[in-house]
C-alpha cells in the first residue's frame, strides 16, 4: 500500500503500477486524507509506503500513525531529511531532490517515481524478473536524466499548447495505464500554478462523462506513449476530435502514427514504457509553467 496526497499520490499510483507490473505483487495507492477515517483493514504483513516531499503533510502523517497503531510497518519515501514523516516511519529512503522552492512539487515527483521504480525492480528481481530484463530497465532508468536534457533542448510547441489552454474554460487531461497518473499530475500542476479548472481522467472514462464538456476548440491534453494501450487512447482521441476538441498530444518521438492525430504534437524521447512517466510529465509541467507566466501569475507562490 502506498500513501500520499496530491503529487505524492500520483507518484504512489505510478509506484503501485510498477510494483504490480514488474513484481506481480498486488499493490494499491491510497489518498492519505481518506485513509484513517475510512477505517482501513491493516495487514501487518503488507508493505506500506508513505510518500511525501515535505515530510510534514498532516494527512499522511496521521495515516502513518494509524497503520503503526494497527500493527503495520511504514517505510517513508520522503524528501526533507529529519521531517516528521521520516522520523515517524524511521525506515525508508530519502529521495534527495533538494529543496522545492516553489509550491509546485516537480523534481520531487520525478525522484519519488524513480525511487519506487528502483524498489519495484529490486523486488521483481527477487521474484519473477529475469536478470537481463532487470538490467535493461535499470540501464533505461540511468538514461532518463540524459533523455530529459535532450527533451529540454528541444521542447516542441509548448507555446502553441499555452495559446490553446490559457483562455479555456477548462482543460481535460487524459491518459491510460501508467499515463493516467501523469494526466492527473499535469492537471494538478496547471490548476495549481495557472488557476485554470482542469479535469483528469483515465482515457477510457472520457466517454462516461467528461465528453459532455467538449465543444469546438476545447483543449484536451493526451498523454500517449507507444505502449500496449496506445491504440485505445487513439480511439479516445478520435471521439474527442469528432466533437471539435483541440488535441494536444504528448507522445514518443518515433511515433508517427500518433502525430497524425494531433493538432499540437509534443514529442518526448523514447524509453521503456514503464519509465515513460518520467519523460511525459515534463511537457505538462512546462505547459503549466508557461501558461502561468502568460497569465501573469507568480509561479513561485
Ligand atoms: C503539488 C502540491 C501538493 C502536494 C501535496 C503533498 O504540486 O504541491 O499537491 O503534492 O500537498 O505534499 P507532500 O508531498 O509534501 O506530502
Amino acid at each position: 500500500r502506498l500513501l500520499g496526497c496530491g503529487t505524492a499520490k500520483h507518484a504512489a499510483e505510478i509506484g503501485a503500477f510498477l510494483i504490480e507490473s514488474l513484481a506481480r505483487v498486488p499493490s494499491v495507492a491510497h489518498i492519505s486524507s481518506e485513509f484513517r477515517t475510512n477505517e482501513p483493514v491493516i495487514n501487518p504483513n503488507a508493505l506500506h509506503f508513505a510518500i511525501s516531499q515535505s515530510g510534514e503533510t498532516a494527512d499522511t502523517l496521521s495515516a502513518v500513525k494509524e497503520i503503526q497503531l494497527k500493527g503495520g510497518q511504514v517505510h517513508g519515501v520522503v524528501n526533507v531529511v529529519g521531517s516528521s514523516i521520516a522520523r515517524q516511519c524511521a525506515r525508508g529512503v530519502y529521495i534527495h531532490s533538494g529543496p522545492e522552492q516553489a509550491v509546485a512539487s516537480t523534481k520531487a515527483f520525478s525522484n519519488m517515481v524513480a525511487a519506487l521504480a528502483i524498489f519495484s525492480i529490486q523486488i521483481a528481481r527477487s521474484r519473477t524478473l529475469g536478470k537481463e530484463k532487470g538490467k535493461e530497465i535499470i540501464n533505461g532508468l540511468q538514461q532518463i536524466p540524459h533523455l530529459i536534457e535532450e527533451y529540454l533542448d528541444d521542447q516542441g510547441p509548448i507555446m502553441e499548447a499555452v495559446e490553446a489552454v490559457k483562455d479555456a474554460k477548462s482543460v481535460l487531461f487524459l491518459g491510460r495505464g501508467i499515463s493516467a497518473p501523469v494526466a492527473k499530475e499535469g492537471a494538478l500542476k496547471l490548476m495549481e500554478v495557472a488557476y485554470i479548472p482542469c479535469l483528469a481522467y483515465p482515457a477510457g472514462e472520457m466517454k462516461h462523462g467528461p465528453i459532455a464538456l467538449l465543444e469546438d476548440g476545447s483543449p484536451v491534453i493526451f498523454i500517449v506513449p507507444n505502449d500496449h494501450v496506445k491504440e485505445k487512447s487513439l480511439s479516445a482521441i478520435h471521439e474527442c476530435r469528432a466533437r471539435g476538441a483541440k488535441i494536444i498530444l504528448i507522445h514518443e518521438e518515433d511515433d508517427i502514427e500518433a502525430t497524425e492525430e494531433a493538432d499540437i504534437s509534443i514529442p518526448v524521447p523514447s524509453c521503456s514504457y514503464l519509465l515513460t512517466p518520467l519523460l511525459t510529465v515534463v511537457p505538462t509541467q512546462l505547459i503549466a509553467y508557461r501558461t502561468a507566466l502568460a497569465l501573469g501569475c507568480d509561479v513561485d507562490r
Side-chain angles (χ1 to χ4, degrees), residues 153-228:
D153 285 343
D154 180 9
Q155 301 173 4
I158 294 291
M159 291 315 289
E160 279 182 42
V162 170
E163 279 307 310
V165 303
K166 79 180 191 347
D167 300 315
K169 277 194 284 193
S170 65
V171 182
L172 179 59
F173 285 74
L174 298 171
R176 272 190 103 100
I178 201 162
S179 301
V182 180
K184 291 188 196 173
E185 179 57 10
L188 174 60
K189 285 294 168 286
L190 188 57
M191 277 193 293
E192 204 177 25
V193 301
Y195 308 99
I196 296 175
C198 295
L199 277 178
Y201 271 84
E205 282 296 289
M206 185 269 302
K207 56 182 175 293
H208 302 293
I211 196 165
L213 294 178
L214 297 182
E215 52 191 30
D216 231 16
S218 302
V220 182
I221 301 187
F222 267 94
I223 325 290
V224 186
N226 200 0
D227 59 14
H228 61 288

Side-chain angles (χ1 to χ4, degrees), residues 157 160 218 241 244-249 259-265:
E160 279 182 42
S218 302
R241 280 177 80 98
K246 186 158 197 158
I247 309 296
I248 300 159
L249 181 67
T259 322
E260 285 162 6
E261 307 295 334
D263 294 295
I264 299 168
S265 142

Side-chain angles (χ1 to χ4, degrees), residues 12-279:
E13 287 181 29
I14 294 169
F17 191 101
L18 291 172
I19 294 167
E20 282 211 348
S21 313
L22 285 168
R24 309 306 295 154
V25 178
S27 187
V28 59
H30 293 271
I31 295 177
S32 308
S33 56
E34 288 285 291
F35 194 76
R36 188 166 57 89
T37 46
N38 284 359
E39 298 183 26
V41 176
I42 303 297
N43 173 357
N45 296 320
L47 273 173
H48 296 89
F49 291 94
I51 301 164
S52 177
Q53 189 285 121
S54 62
E56 300 298 342
T57 302
D59 289 320
T60 304
L61 185 59
S62 78
V64 170
K65 290 180 179 167
E66 177 73 10
I67 295 165
Q68 291 174 335
L69 201 67
K70 292 185 171 165
Q73 285 190 350
V74 193
H75 299 254
V77 179
V78 174
N79 190 34
V80 177
V81 175
S83 55
S84 303
I85 293 171
R87 282 184 284 121
Q88 186 68 35
C89 293
R91 68 193 70 204
V93 290
Y94 286 119
I95 58 172
H96 297 300
S97 304
E100 280 286 10
Q101 303 288 6
V103 169
S105 185
T106 48
K107 54 196 175 151
F109 172 80
S110 303
N111 281 14
M112 287 164 184
V113 172
L116 292 167
I118 292 168
F119 170 74
S120 312
I121 295 163
Q122 284 181 339
I123 189 169
R125 279 287 293 122
S126 71
R127 293 166 67 95
T128 50
L129 187 71
K131 192 171 173 186
E132 286 312 309
K133 187 74 190 154
K135 265 193 186 163
E136 191 185 310
I137 304 172
I138 285 287
N139 288 341
L141 197 55
Q142 284 171 336
Q143 286 309 310
I144 294 291
H146 309 298
L147 296 180
I148 292 176
E149 275 171 23
E150 194 182 310
Y151 168 70
L152 290 175
D153 285 343
D154 180 9
Q155 301 173 4
I158 294 291
M159 291 315 289
E160 279 182 42
V162 170
E163 279 307 310
V165 303
K166 79 180 191 347
D167 300 315
K169 277 194 284 193
S170 65
V171 182
L172 179 59
F173 285 74
L174 298 171
R176 272 190 103 100
I178 201 162
S179 301
V182 180
K184 291 188 196 173
E185 179 57 10
L188 174 60
K189 285 294 168 286
L190 188 57
M191 277 193 293
E192 204 177 25
V193 301
Y195 308 99
I196 296 175
C198 295
L199 277 178
Y201 271 84
E205 282 296 289
M206 185 269 302
K207 56 182 175 293
H208 302 293
I211 196 165
L213 294 178
L214 297 182
E215 52 191 30
D216 231 16
S218 302
V220 182
I221 301 187
F222 267 94
I223 325 290
V224 186
N226 200 0
D227 59 14
H228 61 288
V229 288
K230 183 182 94 176
E231 291 305 321
K232 288 180 179 295
S233 297
L234 293 182
S235 91
I237 292 180
H238 289 150
E239 289 175 51
C240 291
R241 280 177 80 98
R243 280 159 182 79
K246 186 158 197 158
I247 309 296
I248 300 159
L249 181 67
I250 297 171
H251 63 94
E252 290 181 43
E253 62 192 358
D254 52 5
D255 190 355
I256 308 293
E257 188 192 2
T259 322
E260 285 162 6
E261 307 295 334
D263 294 295
I264 299 168
S265 142
I266 304 177
V268 296
S270 293
C271 64
S272 154
Y273 97 91
L274 292 168
L275 303 175
T276 53
L278 291 164
L279 283 161

